[in-house]
Amino acid sequence: MAFWTNYNTDPKRSFRYRFILSSDTAAGQIREYTIKEVKKPSFQMEAGPQAKYIQHTFKYPGRVSWQDVTFSIVDPGANDEDASVALMNVLAKSGYQKPTTQDLSRTSISKRKANTSIGIPRILEIDAEGRDTITWSLHNAYIIGVDFGQLSYETDEMVTYQITLSYDYATIKKRTAGGVLVDERIRSDG
């Protein structure tokens, strides 16, 4: 029986989500309610070695690479919640310093600082009652790109920024019928 013929079924909807960055920048955070859209994690598997036997080629899988996640935010514009300032503070907390002095004791950007500046980003897929059903966690994530958009007299749209995150891997947790989030494991019947 197909799911759309069962009135008790409520398929996932793309607008039912929360994206949480645990940034604690000095001028405020990237607030959850300002996040307009987010791309879910995805991975790509490289082609691995091949074994050639007589007139056949047998292929084997290679390494897995997790693809960058992009999200867009609307700048609320409030003095204490200005998203552009929060993003620049994330860059500073990653170790970036303006090249305005010749101080040789300067620090540099590091993965540890960049990871700490945003914490572990989480994408929560929620149901109609607002309960999270799936939680994606992006491990060792850091911002690799920010596009502050453009301004124009020809539109009255809100100012939106595009942010790109890189991360090492993602994990997923699923809420059980008992309401507990559990790690999903790859299952095999073999």
Side-chain angles (χ1 to χ4, degrees):
M1 178 188 291
F3 75 89
W4 55 82
T5 61
N6 182 352
Y7 67 88
N8 289 322
T9 301
D10 187 17
K12 290 182 180 181
R13 309 284 179 92
S14 63
F15 67 88
R16 291 182 184 158
Y17 75 95
R18 295 173 51 212
F19 183 50
I20 301 170
L21 290 171
S22 55
S23 169
D24 61 351
T25 58
Q29 303 183 49
I30 299 169
R31 305 288 185 193
E32 184 180 332
Y33 68 85
T34 65
I35 296 170
K36 185 176 172 181
E37 63 184 358
V38 62
K39 183 180 180 304
K40 289 171 45 172
S42 61
F43 65 85
Q44 185 73 37
M45 186 177 297
E46 296 176 3
Q50 296 182 359
K52 297 186 180 196
Y53 181 71
I54 304 178
Q55 57 185 346
H56 297 284
T57 300
F58 299 93
K59 299 176 184 178
Y60 294 90
R63 293 185 177 109
V64 171
S65 296
W66 288 88
Q67 307 303 303
D68 296 340
V69 165
T70 57
F71 65 98
S72 61
I73 62 173
V74 173
D75 196 335
N79 290 337
D80 60 337
E81 295 184 6
D82 193 295
S84 57
V85 173
L87 288 166
M88 291 303 290
N89 282 328
V90 168
L91 181 62
K93 283 186 168 262
S94 297
Y96 176 79
Q97 295 179 358
K98 295 179 275 188
T100 55
T101 66
Q102 295 180 358
D103 183 6
L104 297 177
S105 65
R106 297 167 61 93
T107 61
S108 64
I109 294 174
S110 72
K111 186 171 181 177
R112 181 186 56 78
K113 290 177 191 174
N115 293 156
T116 304
S117 70
I118 62 168
I120 299 175
R122 291 177 295 136
I123 302 169
L124 286 70
E125 297 180 36
I126 58 177
D127 63 13
E129 281 77 40
R131 296 179 302 240
D132 48 318
T133 57
I134 296 288
T135 300
W136 291 95
S137 298
L138 310 179
H139 298 275
N140 300 324
Y142 55 95
I143 293 176
I144 62 168
V146 175
D147 181 350
F148 287 107
Q150 66 183 32
L151 304 172
S152 172
Y153 288 120
E154 296 180 7
T155 182
D156 62 351
E157 292 182 19
M158 294 182 276
V159 173
T160 304
Y161 307 143
Q162 299 290 324
I163 296 99
T164 305
L165 292 176
S166 187
Y167 57 102
D168 290 338
Y169 64 97
T171 56
I172 188 171
K173 290 185 178 186
K174 180 180 180 181
R175 185 162 305 279
T176 64
V180 178
L181 276 175
V182 295
D183 290 324
E184 279 296 294
R185 303 283 184 217
I186 297 172
R187 296 177 177 90
S188 66
D189 297 332

